[in-house]
Amino acid sequence: MAIEPIETELGAEAADKPVHDIVGLGIIVAAVLLFVANGSTVLTDFLRSVINGTPPREPMLSVALILNIALLLFGWRRYVDLTKEVGQRRQAEETAHRLAHTDPLTGCLNRRSIGPALEEMIATARTTGHEVVVMMMDLDNFKRSNDAHGHQAGDAVLLQTAHRIGEILPDRSVMARLGGDEFAFAAIYDPDHVDAIDRLMARISAAIARPIELEGVVLDVTASFGLATSAEKANGASEDIAAKLMHRADLAMYQAKKSGRNRYCWFEQSMESELRFRSELERGIRDGIPKGEFVPFYEKQVDLDTGELTGFEMLARWKCPKHGLLSPEIFIPIAEEIGLISELSESLIRQALQDAREWDPRLTLSVNISPLQLRDPWFAQKLLKLLVEANFPPHRLDIEITETCLHENIGVVRTLITSLKNQGIRISLDDFGTGYSSLAQLRTLPFDQIKIDRFFVSNLGKNKDSDTIIEAISSLGKGLNLPITAEGIENTQVLDELRKYGSFKGQGFLYGQPSDADSVRAILAEHNLLPAAPTQEAPASLDQPQPPRAASA
Ligand code: C2E
Ligand code: CA
Ligand code: CA
């Protein structure tokens, strides 16, 4: 089923205009005039001469008449041929025009033509005191359903959805498919009745929610919408307004996606400033890595039974020239999104290995690794190269991978972990308790320790569920013979609670805030844990694997 293309100036432009061949028509008209002027006399004379067998009185005129008739026939032929040819060419041009301006699957306008259509719409609406609302739509999980049911099913979903929305939109609306599962709709509305848009959205949502049946398969579709209106202050020429509206609706749609999908969000001014802040951060990260603005901070890790320091966890910080010291929770996700996480992480690990070389050799260094880095087939090689460069013993390095990594590609993670372990590097499962990893996974992956997420630890004694979870993790650790580190120990009450459940290692603000390399050096010097010269332990080697060794302090 196809959606009727929306009639816009662009679409209507080539409306049927008769096409004539002027030359052919001119010849015919001249020939007809000539024929009418001379034809009757000459024809009578010519016929008489043929019947009587006498020569015509005016032989020249008879020849002219024959020529005249030939001219008439020739002119007509040429007229017919050319008219047909021009008609065909015009049809081809129209097809090319339609293909260039509409989406062949749904018949909606395409990305190129929505702009001009929208400009026209805004200009028209404003002449009658109306405004235009732009609705940007993106289907939720379309890719997944496309992968699961095939592209034909995907096409059917796009068609059905476009068709259902097309039936609901008021007259003179515009529909465009911008690509993939992304659509833009625009409708004229009365600014005194903005609630009409909410009603329209409710109807659209209900229409989309009706399951789509396709050869025995029932598909449920939801979509996220972003709305922006021309009533919102967006001054400028109508073409600027059209572009701005699309951009704003897009930002609002992004917000709808972020807030959980299957909903619509109105554009708000703050979205633009957020976007500006975000691009500023992106630029800052790009420029800041080579400038050395990203530095390692360190958080103490302690044996809770003996109170001894066992090592440090490296936590990234950004000394941002504009915003001061920024948390990794702000910049790590952005670095991941813009593809700079490996570069950033390598630079931090390089600095951390240099710092940790100076520490007492019994102290370990833990580093956090992003799930994206685990997908890099060269990750193990890169890490070993850093160890060799820094001449740092692999058994002192502990890689923390979060539990959520295990869902992504368990096969790849297993290979990676095994190869890192073969080099003597230790592996911890971070944020345990948040990611639903199964017991089977824990058994088959050779972790060296589990870290209980700080959420459960900080809630010990306050929340019964946290108590139960910690108890369960503790017995799991005992069963699997895996040491456990509790994160986020903020005070002695939590520490006392924790001790009820067994032996743990721990870290948290109770032992101090994460601090920079100089402060760590000062603390270690105070406790005689800073040998004068960098340690001369066996260097990491790519071809001489080190056996894993338990850290002791
Ligand atoms: P994480 O691995 O769970 O790190 C522990 C976080 O808990 C740190 O936050 C730390 O400052 C905070 N914390 C420690 N003790 C306490 C406490 O007693 N109470 C509370 N409320 N919080 C505590 P931070 O430094 O902001 O790091 C946040 C997250 O960023 C880390 O969580 C880690 O997942 C990630 N991250 C940090 N550095 C890196 C890095 O170099 N690479 C990657 N991929 N991720 C990193
Ligand atoms: Ca961690
Ligand atoms: Ca953690």
Side-chain angles (χ1 to χ4, degrees), residues 94-172:
E94 266 173 27
T95 310
H97 183 274
R98 201 180 54 247
L99 288 176
H101 292 92
T102 58
D103 163 48
L105 177 70
T106 57
C108 294
L109 294 181
N110 60 17
R111 185 180 282 280
R112 183 196 294 192
S113 44
I114 173 84
L118 201 53
E119 283 161 31
E120 163 92 12
M121 200 176 184
I122 295 169
T124 316
R126 287 192 168 166
T127 56
T128 53
H130 287 82
E131 295 290 350
V132 170
V133 59
V134 174
M135 295 157 268
M136 203 66 90
M137 177 184 87
D138 193 285
L139 297 183
D140 301 328
N141 305 319
F142 179 70
K143 192 180 170 305
R144 204 185 302 159
S145 106
N146 220 7
D147 290 346
H149 305 289
H151 283 266
Q152 259 179 326
D155 283 358
V157 167
L158 294 173
L159 254 175
Q160 271 287 347
T161 313
H163 180 70
R164 288 179 189 180
I165 296 176
E167 281 185 331
I168 294 170
L169 288 175
D171 291 346
R172 295 192 294 156

Side-chain angles (χ1 to χ4, degrees), residues 138-443:
D138 193 285
L139 297 183
D140 301 328
N141 305 319
F142 179 70
K143 192 180 170 305
R144 204 185 302 159
S145 106
N146 220 7
D147 290 346
H149 305 289
H151 283 266
Q152 259 179 326
D155 283 358
V157 167
L158 294 173
L159 254 175
Q160 271 287 347
T161 313
H163 180 70
R164 288 179 189 180
I165 296 176
E167 281 185 331
I168 294 170
L169 288 175
D171 291 346
R172 295 192 294 156
S173 294
V174 160
M175 289 174 73
R177 181 173 169 217
L178 307 179
D181 58 340
E182 210 183 317
F183 289 80
F185 311 106
I188 295 176
Y189 74 97
D190 180 351
D192 292 332
H193 295 100
V194 185
D195 51 320
I197 300 174
D198 292 306
R199 285 198 300 276
L200 178 69
M201 290 313 296
R203 289 183 62 203
I204 289 179
S205 299
I208 295 179
R210 286 201 324 267
I212 295 175
E213 276 184 49
L214 195 89
E215 291 167 6
V217 186
V218 179
L219 301 169
D220 288 308
V221 177
T222 62
S224 303
F225 291 85
L227 271 55
T229 135
S230 58
E232 185 88 28
K233 272 200 198 76
N235 299 323
S238 63
E239 60 191 67
D240 294 342
I241 300 177
K244 201 167 228 173
L245 271 185
M246 298 269 291
H247 176 66
R248 289 179 167 184
D250 206 31
L251 285 179
M253 187 191 67
Y254 182 70
Q255 186 60 43
K257 288 262 178 208
K258 235 173 50 177
S259 333
R261 303 164 181 229
N262 190 18
R263 67 195 63 215
Y264 68 93
C265 278
W266 278 97
F267 164 78
E268 281 168 28
Q269 212 68 50
S270 62
M271 292 173 187
E272 253 165 16
S273 32
E274 240 172 66
L275 186 76
R276 256 196 302 277
F277 181 57
R278 157 93 197 200
S279 14
E280 200 182 284
L281 290 183
E282 281 182 15
R283 216 176 19 254
I285 294 173
R286 263 180 230 288
D287 299 345
I289 299 176
K291 285 189 191 155
E293 287 171 12
F294 293 87
V295 293
F297 268 47
Y298 300 97
E299 179 171 304
K300 283 183 200 156
Q301 295 179 317
V302 175
D303 182 325
L304 297 187
D305 289 339
T306 62
E308 268 180 88
L309 181 70
T310 59
F312 290 90
E313 175 175 0
M314 188 270 278
L315 296 163
R317 294 289 181 271
W318 180 10
K319 285 186 174 163
C320 174
K322 185 158 179 199
H323 303 286
L325 201 63
L326 292 185
S327 143
E329 266 154 354
I330 296 178
F331 60 83
I332 295 280
I334 303 178
E336 286 177 337
E337 264 182 57
I338 62 176
L340 286 179
I341 187 64
S342 290
E343 201 181 318
L344 174 60
S345 176
E346 276 171 42
S347 130
L348 286 160
I349 294 175
R350 190 174 288 119
Q351 298 176 61
L353 291 175
Q354 287 299 337
D355 292 338
R357 256 168 54 112
E358 296 180 20
W359 307 341
D360 186 287
R362 287 167 299 176
L363 297 175
T364 56
L365 169 71
S366 299
V367 296
N368 293 284
I369 295 300
S370 149
L372 293 186
Q373 287 172 278
L374 293 185
R375 286 192 215 146
D376 175 1
W378 297 105
F379 174 71
Q381 294 302 319
K382 288 178 183 169
L383 195 63
L384 290 167
K385 187 163 169 267
L386 288 173
L387 284 170
V388 171
E389 270 173 22
N391 194 15
F392 192 86
H395 68 268
R396 283 183 62 200
L397 182 67
D398 179 30
I399 294 294
E400 297 193 0
I401 65 173
T402 55
E403 205 187 358
T404 38
C405 290
L406 305 185
H407 307 298
E408 305 220 334
N409 193 341
I410 189 83
V412 174
V413 175
R414 182 175 290 120
T415 312
L416 182 73
I417 292 181
T418 310
S419 95
L420 292 177
K421 279 204 58 118
N422 286 341
Q423 300 291 337
I425 297 168
R426 296 147 49 87
I427 318 283
S428 296
L429 182 58
D430 203 0
D431 299 343
F432 188 67
T434 55
Y436 315 102
S437 46
S438 69
L439 199 61
Q441 278 174 339
L442 277 185
R443 254 206 212 114

